[in-house]
Amino acid sequence: MAIVFIPAQLQDLTGGLAQVELDASSLREVIARLEERFPGTKDRLCDDDELSPALQVSVDHVMTRRLRAEVDPDSEVH
């Protein structure tokens, strides 16, 4: 499962967890899984159905804003 690192600004939603493991194949699925486990996450990360303009995400050390970005089982998402 992919390891997702949770920024300090979201840790109030995760009960203080700094990272979680999720089964997801895209950044969109990562956000959906986070929302399932920690309601309110999607509202902080997205505007409508896109990543918030103020954010970028690193998937395996590649910066992206695309929710279609591929996430592998051994990926690290920051």
Side-chain angles (χ1 to χ4, degrees), residues 1-4 21-34 36 59 67 69-77:
M1 284 195 257
I3 298 173
V4 179
E21 291 186 14
L22 298 175
D23 185 24
S25 61
S26 69
L27 184 53
R28 183 179 308 279
E29 285 185 15
V30 166
I31 293 171
R33 301 292 179 272
L34 286 171
E36 289 170 4
V59 178
L67 294 179
E70 187 175 316
V71 174
D72 294 323
D74 61 344
S75 287
E76 288 189 4
V77 181

Side-chain angles (χ1 to χ4, degrees), residues 3-53:
I3 298 173
V4 179
F5 293 84
I6 310 295
Q9 301 90 320
L10 295 178
Q11 290 179 18
D12 61 319
L13 297 174
T14 66
L17 293 175
Q19 68 184 47
V20 295
E21 291 186 14
L22 298 175
D23 185 24
S25 61
S26 69
L27 184 53
R28 183 179 308 279
E29 285 185 15
V30 166
I31 293 171
R33 301 292 179 272
L34 286 171
E35 180 65 22
E36 289 170 4
R37 285 182 66 180
F38 311 109
T41 305
K42 183 177 179 183
D43 288 339
R44 293 217 198 152
L45 296 176
C46 296
D47 282 342
D48 294 320
D49 212 21
E50 298 292 327
L51 194 61
S52 174

